[in-house]
Amino acid sequence: MRIGDAKQSYEADEAIWTSSTQKLWLGFFLLILMVFPFAVDSYLLYLGCLVGIAVISTTGLNILTGFTGLISLGQAGFMGVGAYTVAWLSINTGLPFPITLVLAGLMAAAVGILVGLPSLRVKGLYLAIATLAASVFLHFIFAEWEPVTGGMGGLSLEPAHLFGLTFQSDFMMYFIIVPLAVLMVLAARNVFRTRIGRAFIAIRDRDISAEILGINLLRYKLMSFALSSFYAGVAGGLFAYFYRVVTPESFPLSMSIFYLAAVIVGGMGNLLGGILGAAFMTLVPEALKLLTAALTPFYPNAPVFMSPMLEIIFGGLIVGFLIFEPHGLAEIWHRIRRFFRLWPFRN
């Protein structure tokens, strides 16, 4: 009986406890992000910046694929549009990075709207193929439009700057990338509290029913494409400032697969899943490099053997999570939280 009373008390206080705990965890997480660049070496700082860029792009793709149900293999192309926009503006106008990043996002959003036009008539695999074709077409433009993109040689740009301050090192770039990633994730979270976000979810769950309820499918699908592409364009712009060189080979098809894998592994339709998936998928190649370095003294051909393993691992992770944990790392995290919150009441 005491156990039952305790459970009822727990359920009554759960909403308040969860809200306060979430705020506590959020504050703790933000504190870690603030301390992180001062406490780690240059390699971990480099990885932190990569994770921040990946979080932005994955969040954008999650809006389109996870929340709206539109599969896209064009994320790398949209990132390329943002990166080349930032590079061209930086070289030819010298605008500060906040303006170039916004313009990069808007340019990518405009391209995303064009790519999303077929989404009213096609869906599923056919839409994925359409976005893949768009990505290939954009890659062709990056390689061949030499007066603007520099061709295969690409473009080199100066470091990001604002009010005379130059963001040249990874340490400085961290304070652009990570705060921007946090803001864009919070912005995405707020989108799904609005009518627009609820329309995205209704289209994902049942587009015919959504249309009957008065939701304009083409309008909201194009809005989802635009918002997702905006995120990709900003991520691409940060990518350009971080590496300070942009080439067509910076945005291969494998990058689109990488971000789709991050959404699936993290958990589709879950913003926390996008964060976890982006971090996990960014660290997988680095873990593979460390494993290769550890095996090389014992097996000299380890680099040759391990070089094609990345694509195999990505494919295996996608298939594995779709079969065994379709809700991704976010669901595993929630399951762990529920276990530790309920453990006093377990027999």
Side-chain angles (χ1 to χ4, degrees):
M1 190 65 180
R2 291 181 180 176
I3 294 178
D5 293 341
K7 285 187 177 181
Q8 290 178 0
S9 175
Y10 169 82
E11 291 171 356
D13 297 336
E14 182 177 10
I16 300 175
W17 187 91
T18 300
S19 176
S20 60
T21 302
Q22 285 179 344
K23 292 180 181 178
L24 181 63
W25 276 107
L26 179 60
F28 181 66
F29 179 68
L30 293 176
L31 179 62
I32 291 176
L33 292 181
M34 292 174 60
V35 174
F36 181 81
F38 300 98
V40 300
D41 58 16
S42 58
Y43 176 68
L44 291 178
L45 192 60
Y46 164 81
L47 290 181
C49 292
L50 289 186
V51 169
I53 294 172
V55 165
I56 295 174
S57 188
T58 302
T59 300
L61 185 58
N62 208 0
I63 292 171
L64 182 64
T65 300
F67 287 95
T68 318
L70 303 175
I71 301 175
S72 173
L73 288 173
Q75 199 72 350
F78 300 137
M79 286 185 65
V81 171
Y84 275 103
T85 300
V86 160
W88 190 89
L89 290 173
S90 177
I91 293 170
N92 293 280
T93 66
L95 291 171
F97 78 85
I99 298 176
T100 59
L101 287 178
V102 171
L103 292 176
L106 293 175
M107 180 64 72
V111 175
I113 291 174
L114 293 176
V115 174
L117 286 174
S119 64
L120 184 64
R121 297 297 180 185
V122 298
K123 60 179 69 174
L125 179 61
Y126 299 101
L127 181 59
I129 293 174
T131 57
L132 174 61
S135 183
V136 173
F137 179 70
L138 289 172
H139 190 275
F140 175 80
I141 292 177
F142 299 155
E144 300 299 330
W145 198 8
E146 292 190 12
V148 175
T149 66
M152 293 303 296
L155 298 174
S156 299
L157 62 155
E158 295 296 321
H161 63 89
L162 181 67
F163 302 131
L165 183 63
T166 300
F167 297 82
Q168 188 166 2
S169 64
D170 292 354
F171 180 84
M172 296 293 289
M173 283 300 299
Y174 179 91
F175 291 99
I176 297 178
I177 295 171
V178 173
L180 194 55
V182 172
L183 289 176
M184 296 190 78
V185 169
L186 292 177
R189 182 172 179 266
N190 287 330
V191 165
F192 294 102
R193 295 178 173 178
T194 66
R195 185 175 185 273
I196 295 174
R198 291 192 292 269
F200 290 167
I201 296 173
I203 292 171
R204 177 197 66 189
D205 292 341
R206 190 71 173 177
D207 57 351
I208 297 176
S209 300
E211 188 174 22
I212 293 173
L213 292 173
I215 294 174
N216 187 319
L217 293 185
L218 180 60
R219 177 187 175 188
Y220 283 101
K221 284 183 178 181
L222 292 184
M223 288 177 65
S224 182
F225 262 102
L227 187 57
S228 174
S229 302
F230 180 86
Y231 273 66
V234 172
L238 291 172
F239 182 95
Y241 277 129
F242 185 64
Y243 287 104
R244 297 208 297 276
V245 63
V246 183
T247 68
E249 300 307 317
S250 301
F251 307 98
L253 173 61
S254 59
M255 180 177 283
S256 294
I257 297 173
F258 169 89
Y259 286 114
L260 183 60
V263 170
I264 294 173
V265 170
M268 290 190 291
N270 190 306
L271 291 176
L272 175 61
I275 298 172
L276 296 177
F280 181 80
M281 296 303 293
T282 301
L283 296 177
V284 165
E286 302 303 321
L288 194 61
K289 291 178 183 178
L290 294 176
L291 179 61
T292 302
L295 291 176
T296 301
F298 307 99
Y299 181 56
N301 291 328
V304 177
F305 175 77
M306 298 294 286
S307 59
M309 291 298 293
L310 187 59
E311 286 76 12
I312 297 173
I313 291 174
F314 282 172
L317 287 171
I318 292 174
V319 173
F321 271 88
L322 284 174
I323 294 174
F324 300 106
E325 186 49 83
H327 297 292
L329 294 172
E331 178 60 26
I332 295 175
W333 168 248
H334 291 316
R335 199 176 297 152
I336 293 172
R337 286 183 59 192
R338 286 195 296 268
F339 175 82
F340 283 105
R341 283 162 56 186
L342 289 170
W343 74 266
F345 311 117
R346 301 176 73 91
N347 292 328

